[in-house]
């Protein structure tokens, strides 16, 4: 082993030199916080017992090691909401990713042809993604407001009655999903459009000569041709949606009650709304990481078995 | 060439590491605060202290700035850096800043935050400093929220209590002669307004704090701090919630907007579209800016109607001046608080804004008596319910904020909603029953 390392070092000195800074920086930026997070999740650290230097007063750390207690509390404690929130997070993730992908694909196919003003459409369709999240969140909050929101105004004038979009459990959850879909579609559309343009036109010509219908062409050329792009954006989409904090936090704050809490927002409110509980926050962080790492492994394996190279 | 590149790469790494490695070691120097309020040496030495104020930036802040002007005239060598921080963010912001040693010297802390900040060691004890001048003069209830572990960590700047604010003209139009004094009268009056005056009779802000008068009025409470008991889901508390829900269901109160209830309530009340609201003195300046109260006499103020116990219960709120323990200008901070919280200056704020003084002597001053609102609140204060001064006090309202709207929307039955609050409390108050 040591001999191999030395040989590799002599042979690729320059490569090692280029890699080491990256490894060190990542170690500092990712590795250390990760280690610290794991460590904290086994303690009872909170705002009252961590080290602090306040003026002349220097207080050392006084938290202690509690083993797996945080994990047991979060997963199996008497009042835990972990499982119900995890279930909601899964529903949220699947519905967001499904619509991101299907709507994004539909728009990409529509735009992947010669039509007048194509670039204008593209810019307009990218807009939701380009606007800062907090701007779109507050805009949607106003649009969906119960008393003066434009949605209810229109529905009321059409005689369809008004709805409390953000005040009712189910509607609020549907609303945040819809907002997230609106924000996320452009990215999927652009990525898929790139994928579409990489599919050779000859394939379509050949299919047309063979008399394939547009539908057949889509299923047998377009869809398989997009496989690599799709695999990547679905993986990214799942991870991003699972951890999407801003929209839910800004639009409903997880409310009404806990009706729109997903794991990340719930962990935030459980750990940071009162006396900040660093240990519980770390525990949630590690649990979320475990869920996503597990998912990524399964996903890769599934792709491998269907012949993708990863 | 290669070695040189490699060297610069590793140098970059070193620099990066060095930059990350230097943890801000808080500078523990500075003025340790002189117990005797000793005068600074003569000369052009200017001390700057920062103050985070959480008052309403449009209506209240200008008057606080007026006081700062007066302070600077009196103490030319102290400069006050005034920053207005939105109330909702202030607690979090202060805690973050205090951990990082970048907190302001003086903070306006809500009564529910003071014990929490003190328990986190962020506050300087004020006993025996100029800031605690005339401490015997303070009303006992507002002062109580500043004590933690037997020490004094703040002085009450302003106190407040929820009351029934009403539009006299609308009630008259509906033939209601007197402000309602019980929940039953409140319902009758509100329905009368709705039927005869073409306005909503009542608007209940769906926030947890605004539910407290109903819970107290029915003989309930959130917790019992003496016995370390969680009492938010007792039959009394549930009864209180049911009274509030009944007002909404029966149409006596408008169906509140669960997402921006407070703003809708204020907008409607100011416009003369709502006859009665339950709100505190901080809202009075805002009310007077509306067309319904162009004539200030049109605003009536009465204690919150009594619940089934026959007693009216209204939570005591308010704000305190606290000093950051890591402040480098303790002496100047104490002098600032001493000045701002003098009886004259409290009376000035009472006259201008209708804020309730915390010094009993301030109520004797003509300025205070001249305000149309303050003397009316005085009677209500003495009966206000003081919330427990535990570090978790600031957290207790959050679960209530979450579940009260669900009870209103019908997603949860009253008992189930408060049971949920109780389970949330068990997470906050770990070893309570």
């Amino acid at each position: 082993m040591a001999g191999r390392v030395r040989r590799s070092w002599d042979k690729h000195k320059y490569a090692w030199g280029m890699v080491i800074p990256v490894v060190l920086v990542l170690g500092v930026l990712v590795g250390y916080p990760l280690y610290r997070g794991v460590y904290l999740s086994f303690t009872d650290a909170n705002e009252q017992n961590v080290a602090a230097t306040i003026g002349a007063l220097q207080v050392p750390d006084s938290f202690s090691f509690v083993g797996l207690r945080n994990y047991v509390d979060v997963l199996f404690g008497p009042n835990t909401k972990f499982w119900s929130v995890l279930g909601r997070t899964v529903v949220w993730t699947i519905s967001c990713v499904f619509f991101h992908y299907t709507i994004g694909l539909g728009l990409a196919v529509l735009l992947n042809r010669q039509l007048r003003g194509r670039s204008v459409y593209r810019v307009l369709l990218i807009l939701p993604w380009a606007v800062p999240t907090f701007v779109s969140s507050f805009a949607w909050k106003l649009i969906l407001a119960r008393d003066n929101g434009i949605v209810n105004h229109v529905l009321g004038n059409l005689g369809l009655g008004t709805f409390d979009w953000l005040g009712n459990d189910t509607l609020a959850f549907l609303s945040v999903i819809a907002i997230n879909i609106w924000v996320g579609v452009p990215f999927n559309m652009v990525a898929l459009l790139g994928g579409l343009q990489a599919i050779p036109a000859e394939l379509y010509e050949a299919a047309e000569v063979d008399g394939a219908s547009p539908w057949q062409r889509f299923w047998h050329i377009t869809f398989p041709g997009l496989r690599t792009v799709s695999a990547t954006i679905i993986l990214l989409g799942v991870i991003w949606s699972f951890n999407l904090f801003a929209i839910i936090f800004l639009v409903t704050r997880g409310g009404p009650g806990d009706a729109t809490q997903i794991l990340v927002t719930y962990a935030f409110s459980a750990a940071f709304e009162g006396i900040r509980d660093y240990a519980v926050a770390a525990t949630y962080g590690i649990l979320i990481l475990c869920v996503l790492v597990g998912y990524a492994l399964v996903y890769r394996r599934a792709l491998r078995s269907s012949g993708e190279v990863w | 060439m290669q070695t040189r590149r490699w060297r610069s790469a590793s140098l970059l790494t070193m620099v990066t590491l060095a930059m990350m490695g230097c943890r801000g070691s808080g500078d523990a120097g500075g003025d340790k605060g002189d117990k005797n309020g000793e005068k600074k040496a003569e000369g052009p030495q200017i001390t700057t202290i920062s103050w985070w104020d959480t008052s309403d930036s449009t209506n209240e802040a200008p008057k606080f700035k007026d006081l700062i002007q007066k302070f600077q005239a009196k103490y030319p060598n102290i400069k006050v850096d005034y920053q207005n921080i939105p109330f909702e963010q202030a607690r979090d912001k202060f805690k973050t800043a205090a951990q990082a040693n970048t907190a302001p010297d003086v903070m306006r802390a809500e009564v529910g935050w003071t014990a929490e900040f003190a328990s986190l060691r962020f506050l300087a004890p004020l006993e025996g400093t100029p800031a605690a001048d005339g401490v015997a003069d303070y009303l006992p209830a507002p002062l109580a929220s500043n004590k933690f572990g037997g020490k004094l960590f703040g002085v009450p700047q302003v106190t407040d209590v929820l009351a029934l604010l009403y539009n006299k003209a609308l009630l008259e139009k509906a033939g209601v002669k007197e402000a309602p004094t019980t929940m039953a009268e409140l319902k009758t009056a509100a329905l009368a307004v709705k039927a005869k005056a073409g306005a909503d009779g009542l608007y209940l802000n769906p926030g947890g704090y605004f539910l407290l008068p109903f819970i107290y009025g029915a003989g309930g409470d959130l917790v019992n701090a003496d016995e370390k008991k969680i009492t938010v889901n007792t039959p009394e508390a549930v009864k209180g919630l049911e009274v509030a829900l009944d007002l909404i269901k029966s149409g006596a109160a408008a169906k509140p907007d669960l997402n921006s209830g407070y703003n809708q309530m204020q907008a409607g009340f100011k416009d003369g579209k709502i006859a009665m609201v339950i709100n505190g003195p901080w809202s009075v300046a805002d009310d007077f800016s509306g067309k319904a109260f162009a004539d200030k006499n049109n605003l009536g103020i009465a204690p919150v109607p009594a619940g089934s116990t026959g007693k009216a219960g209204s939570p005591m709120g308010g704000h305190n001046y606290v000093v950051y323990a890591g402040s480098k200008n303790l002496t100047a901070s104490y002098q600032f608080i001493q000045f701002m919280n003098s009886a004259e200056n409290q009376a000035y704020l009472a006259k201008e804004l209708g804020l309730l003084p915390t010094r009993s002597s301030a109520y004797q001053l003509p300025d205070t008596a001249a305000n149309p609102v303050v003397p009316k609140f005085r009677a209500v204060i003495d009966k206000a319910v003081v919330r427990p001064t535990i570090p978790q006090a600031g957290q207790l309202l959050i679960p209530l904020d979450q579940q009260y709207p669900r009870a209103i929307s019908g997603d949860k039955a009253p008992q189930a909603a408060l049971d949920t609050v109780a389970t949330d409390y068990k997470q906050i108050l770990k070893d309570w029953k």
Side-chain angles (χ1 to χ4, degrees):
Chain A
M1 182 73 208
R4 276 224 337 250
V5 170
R6 177 149 343 117
R7 259 202 312 281
S8 154
W9 171 249
D10 288 337
K11 205 165 154 192
H12 306 291
K13 198 178 270 181
Y14 184 62
W16 276 98
M18 294 309 284
V19 167
I20 283 173
V22 177
V23 171
L24 287 174
V25 169
L26 279 179
V28 170
L29 286 180
V30 178
Y32 176 72
L34 188 66
Y35 152 78
R36 182 87 188 155
V38 174
Y39 167 69
L40 283 176
S41 71
F42 292 111
T43 65
D44 60 357
N46 65 29
E47 228 177 347
Q48 284 170 320
N49 58 23
V50 294
T53 310
I54 299 156
L57 177 76
Q58 295 206 10
V59 196
D61 278 326
S62 60
F63 55 84
S64 48
F65 190 79
V66 296
L68 286 167
R69 199 184 72 193
N70 292 321
Y71 289 93
V72 174
D73 272 358
V74 166
L75 295 174
F76 313 111
N79 309 318
T80 184
K81 291 183 190 158
F82 180 85
W83 301 105
S84 62
V85 177
L86 178 65
R88 190 178 305 118
T89 312
V90 170
V91 173
W92 149 271
T93 307
I94 291 174
S95 30
C96 286
V97 172
F98 175 79
F99 287 107
H100 277 162
Y101 184 77
T102 48
I103 298 173
L105 183 60
L107 290 172
V109 171
L110 283 179
L111 282 179
N112 191 29
R113 61 183 66 182
Q114 291 305 328
L115 71 156
R116 207 180 312 167
R118 185 163 77 158
S119 50
V120 177
Y121 289 127
R122 271 194 203 176
V123 170
L124 286 177
L125 285 166
I126 297 216
L127 218 58
W129 187 42
V131 174
T133 314
F134 73 93
V135 175
S136 41
S137 296
F138 289 134
W140 275 102
K141 221 177 143 149
L142 293 173
I143 291 169
L144 294 171
R146 194 195 71 182
D147 289 346
N148 304 320
I150 190 151
V151 173
N152 274 349
H153 189 74
V154 170
L155 290 178
N157 286 349
L158 294 173
L160 297 170
T162 59
F163 297 92
D164 195 353
W165 294 106
L166 300 174
N168 163 295
D169 286 14
T170 321
L171 286 178
F173 191 47
L174 291 176
S175 299
V176 283
I177 289 177
I179 295 168
N180 186 29
I181 290 170
W182 180 83
V183 170
V185 159
F187 168 76
N188 285 264
M189 180 190 81
V190 172
L192 289 165
L193 200 53
L196 286 176
Q197 287 170 350
I199 299 173
E202 295 85 16
L203 291 178
Y204 290 107
E205 286 162 17
E208 252 178 286
V209 170
D210 291 342
S213 68
W215 199 233
Q216 284 174 315
R217 269 177 275 157
F218 175 78
W219 276 117
H220 296 285
I221 300 170
T222 312
F223 205 64
L226 285 173
R227 207 139 119 196
T228 334
V229 179
S230 305
T232 310
I233 61 173
I234 287 176
L235 179 69
L236 281 177
V238 166
I239 292 173
W240 284 346
S241 301
F242 201 92
N243 282 337
L244 198 101
F245 182 84
I247 289 177
I248 288 185
F249 186 78
L250 292 171
V251 175
T252 62
R253 275 244 159 188
D258 279 333
T260 53
Q261 295 276 34
I262 61 171
L263 274 177
V264 274
T265 57
Y266 182 66
F268 178 84
S269 63
F272 288 108
E273 273 184 342
I275 306 269
R276 295 171 185 176
D277 196 331
Y278 303 126
V280 167
T283 307
Y284 273 101
I286 303 299
L287 287 170
I288 291 169
L289 183 71
C290 291
V291 171
L292 287 175
V293 167
Y295 161 77
L297 289 175
V298 171
Y299 187 79
R300 265 185 56 187
R301 185 155 298 170
L303 285 176
R304 267 221 196 102
S305 63
S306 71
E308 285 294 336
V309 184
W310 272 66
Chain B
M1 186 68 211
Q2 276 204 1
T3 45
R4 190 179 317 159
R5 264 202 224 159
W6 150 225
R7 217 180 268 151
S8 60
S10 54
L11 189 72
L12 188 73
T13 314
M14 299 273 224
V15 172
T16 321
L17 284 179
M19 274 161 64
M20 290 174 177
C22 70
R23 297 251 310 264
S25 51
D27 183 26
D31 180 359
K32 290 273 191 308
D34 213 278
K35 282 275 188 297
N36 320 321
E38 194 189 15
K39 277 272 185 299
K40 280 237 176 339
E42 290 300 318
Q45 209 194 345
I46 304 270
T47 319
T48 303
I49 58 167
S50 49
W51 178 38
W52 281 7
D53 177 27
T54 59
S55 67
D56 179 293
S57 59
T58 32
N59 296 311
E60 297 179 321
K63 303 297 170 197
F64 283 105
K65 285 183 188 157
D66 289 352
L67 289 184
I68 291 175
Q69 291 290 329
K70 291 182 193 168
F71 173 77
Q72 305 215 283
K74 191 173 165 185
Y75 295 90
N77 56 355
I78 302 177
K79 205 169 153 300
V80 180
D81 169 21
Y82 174 92
Q83 293 178 48
N84 191 284
I85 310 282
F87 175 74
E88 296 76 32
Q89 305 163 20
R91 172 168 157 259
D92 231 25
K93 238 181 146 134
F94 180 79
K95 291 205 299 184
T96 306
Q99 284 279 16
N101 249 311
T102 55
D105 299 292
V106 180
M107 169 83 189
R108 180 190 196 239
E110 208 256 352
V111 290
W113 307 344
T114 311
E116 182 187 353
F117 292 164
S119 79
L120 299 174
R121 308 156 301 217
F122 292 156
L123 303 183
L126 299 184
E127 238 129 32
T129 68
D133 240 17
V135 79
D137 182 28
Y138 288 113
L139 301 171
L143 187 65
S145 71
N146 291 284
K147 292 188 173 141
F148 181 76
K151 283 184 172 164
L152 182 76
F153 283 103
V155 286
Q157 174 204 50
V158 55
T159 182
D160 61 56
V161 60
L162 289 175
L164 182 74
L165 307 181
Y166 58 97
N167 183 325
K168 287 181 187 166
L170 282 176
L171 285 192
E172 248 161 63
K173 211 167 166 184
V176 180
K177 301 271 182 298
E178 296 275 315
T181 55
T182 66
M183 292 295 176
E185 284 175 20
L186 178 68
K187 188 173 169 179
T188 326
L191 287 168
V193 170
K194 202 173 169 176
K196 298 177 198 160
D200 274 316
L202 174 70
Y203 197 105
L204 299 176
N205 176 31
Y209 188 73
F210 293 75
L211 177 64
L212 294 177
F214 294 94
I215 293 181
Y216 294 155
D221 202 342
L222 302 184
V223 293
N224 180 332
D226 298 337
E227 296 176 22
K228 296 209 161 184
K229 257 202 183 120
I230 293 165
T231 57
V232 72
N233 53 348
T234 54
E236 291 83 8
V238 175
K239 205 156 118 196
L241 173 60
E242 279 166 346
V243 170
L245 295 179
D246 171 63
L247 285 169
I248 296 167
K249 267 199 208 87
S250 63
K255 202 166 166 21
D257 182 315
L258 301 181
N259 214 276
S260 58
Y262 188 87
N263 297 340
Q264 299 287 349
M265 166 172 84
Q266 283 305 97
F269 191 54
K270 279 153 65 176
D271 256 8
K273 292 185 181 129
I274 296 167
M276 295 181 275
V277 296
I278 290 174
N279 209 340
W282 62 83
S283 69
V284 167
D286 184 30
D287 290 336
F288 286 152
S289 73
K291 66 170 199 242
F293 304 105
D295 168 18
K296 290 185 181 181
N297 285 325
N298 191 31
L299 180 72
I301 297 167
V304 168
S308 54
T309 55
K311 280 215 291 252
S314 185
M316 155 98 44
H319 300 273
N320 303 324
Y321 284 111
V322 295
V323 176
Y324 177 50
S327 160
K328 297 192 177 46
N329 310 301
L330 288 171
T331 312
S333 305
Y334 299 148
Q335 288 170 329
F336 176 68
I337 293 177
Q338 178 187 22
F339 177 88
M340 294 295 278
N341 231 11
S342 70
E344 297 75 43
N345 288 333
Q346 286 204 345
Y348 172 78
L349 292 171
K351 180 183 87 174
E352 296 288 335
L353 298 169
L355 295 180
L356 308 186
T358 54
R359 288 184 177 277
S360 48
S361 61
Y363 284 93
Q364 317 302 329
L365 296 172
D367 265 1
T368 312
N371 183 282
V373 175
V374 175
K376 293 182 184 162
F377 271 106
R378 177 73 174 97
V380 190
I381 301 177
D382 289 337
K383 296 197 183 106
V385 178
V386 182
R387 289 174 290 153
T389 49
I390 47 175
Q392 295 87 353
Q395 274 169 277
L396 295 181
L397 289 171
I398 297 168
L400 208 58
D401 282 337
Q402 291 179 335
Q403 301 306 329
Y404 182 27
R406 294 179 106 173
I408 294 174
S409 69
D411 283 319
K412 275 211 169 135
Q415 180 75 53
L418 293 182
D419 283 344
T420 311
V421 176
T423 41
D424 285 350
Y425 281 7
K426 287 204 177 79
Q427 304 264 351
I428 298 169
L429 304 159
K430 291 247 186 307
D431 45 2
W432 288 36
K433 289 193 284 296

